[in-house]
Amino acid sequence: DIVLTQSPGTLSLSPGERATLSCRTSQSVRSSYLAWYQQKPGQAPRLLIYAASSRATGIPDRFSGSGSGTDFTLTISRLEPEDFAVYYCQLYGGSPPNTFGQGTKLEI
Amino acid sequence: EIQLVDSGGGLVQPGGSLRLSCAASGFTFSNYWMTWVRQAPGMGLEWVANINKVGSEKYYLDSVKGRFTISRDSAKNSLYLQMDSLRAEDTAVYFCARLRSTDYGGEYFDYWGHGTLVTVSS
């Protein structure tokens, strides 16, 4: 089974700063299999990025995704107050067919 | 506007049953695969089950196989999750979501319901 590892577990930054979140897979995967979500307390997850680098509808361009093979990155170029949340990567493939990382909490 | 509205959660004793529903609107329900994802209190996200457009293909997390059944009714634009033989470890918020596929394989979930809480406890 492919294991997803997100790092760091918690990232403390200030509004206006740049955030870099990592998602590593235990085996090389297709970029088209990797997505990123944002979740705020008491809310459903929100799709940010699919196929590693494609922004979902309505997502601001300060969010970007990159990576290939086993290393994937979500970058928030300039943090807004509403960006402080938990971020999850998700991988298609293997068993089970969909797996989520353990999450990175982005806090002020 | 695309909307998914989850319902049916509640408190149930171990070994009991519950049926979750997800009402879809704002898109052609019969054109999309659908999924259930859960989140235990204070924990991360866990995929539970997928169903294809016509309900003929179903996939499950190993720990729920034989206990949970995903289904859909396109006439009612609704997705369901029948949960039997419930265990304490099934306690979670359950989200329905619309499943999309990328051009080169891969799946992701583009719209989500607000979630419904299932608590399994005596």
Side-chain angles (χ1 to χ4, degrees), chain B residues 7-9 17-21 71 73 80-83 86:
Chain B
S7 62
S17 298
L18 214 52
R19 188 196 197 204
L20 306 183
S21 299
S71 63
D73 184 337
Y80 305 102
L81 187 67
Q82 176 67 40
M83 303 186 295
L86 282 161

Side-chain angles (χ1 to χ4, degrees), chain B residues 70-118:
Chain B
I70 189 171
S71 63
R72 64 191 297 160
D73 184 337
S74 290
K76 295 182 178 180
N77 288 339
S78 291
L79 175 72
Y80 305 102
L81 187 67
Q82 176 67 40
M83 303 186 295
D84 298 320
S85 304
L86 282 161
R87 306 167 180 168
E89 55 264 35
D90 297 318
T91 294
V93 174
Y94 286 73
F95 299 97
C96 67
R98 190 174 79 168
L99 191 155
R100 302 296 304 278
S101 296
T102 65
D103 291 341
Y104 299 98
E107 295 179 348
Y108 58 95
F109 312 114
D110 63 348
Y111 288 93
W112 296 65
H114 54 84
T116 186
L117 176 62
V118 172

Side-chain angles (χ1 to χ4, degrees), chain A residues 30 32 37 39 44 90 98, chain B residues 39 47 104 106-107 109 112-113:
Chain A
R30 287 189 175 185
S32 61
Y37 301 83
Q39 188 179 32
Q90 172 246 323
N98 287 288
Chain B
Q39 186 170 36
W47 170 83
Y104 299 98
E107 295 179 348
F109 312 114
W112 296 65

Side-chain angles (χ1 to χ4, degrees), chain A residues 30 32-35 37 39 42-47 49-51 57 88 90-92 95-102, chain B residues 35 37 39 43-47 50 59-62 95 99 102-115:
Chain A
R30 287 189 175 185
S32 61
Y33 289 7
L34 201 287
Y37 301 83
Q39 188 179 32
Q43 295 186 18
R46 174 193 181 197
L47 175 68
I49 301 287
Y50 63 94
T57 303
Y88 294 95
Q90 172 246 323
L91 177 70
Y92 166 77
S95 178
N98 287 288
T99 309
F100 292 89
Q102 81 277 21
Chain B
T35 195
V37 173
Q39 186 170 36
M43 302 296 284
L45 301 167
E46 182 176 51
W47 170 83
N50 282 354
Y59 302 92
Y60 297 96
L61 182 67
D62 282 350
F95 299 97
L99 191 155
T102 65
D103 291 341
Y104 299 98
E107 295 179 348
Y108 58 95
F109 312 114
D110 63 348
Y111 288 93
W112 296 65
H114 54 84

Side-chain angles (χ1 to χ4, degrees), chain A residues 57-72:
Chain A
T57 303
I59 301 303
D61 60 7
R62 65 179 181 273
F63 291 91
S64 63
S66 62
S68 63
T70 60
D71 290 326
F72 297 89

Side-chain angles (χ1 to χ4, degrees), chain B residues 29-52:
Chain B
F29 181 70
S30 58
N31 285 353
Y32 294 89
W33 285 60
M34 297 294 294
T35 195
W36 287 99
V37 173
R38 68 184 179 184
Q39 186 170 36
M43 302 296 284
L45 301 167
E46 182 176 51
W47 170 83
V48 174
N50 282 354
I51 188 167
N52 72 347

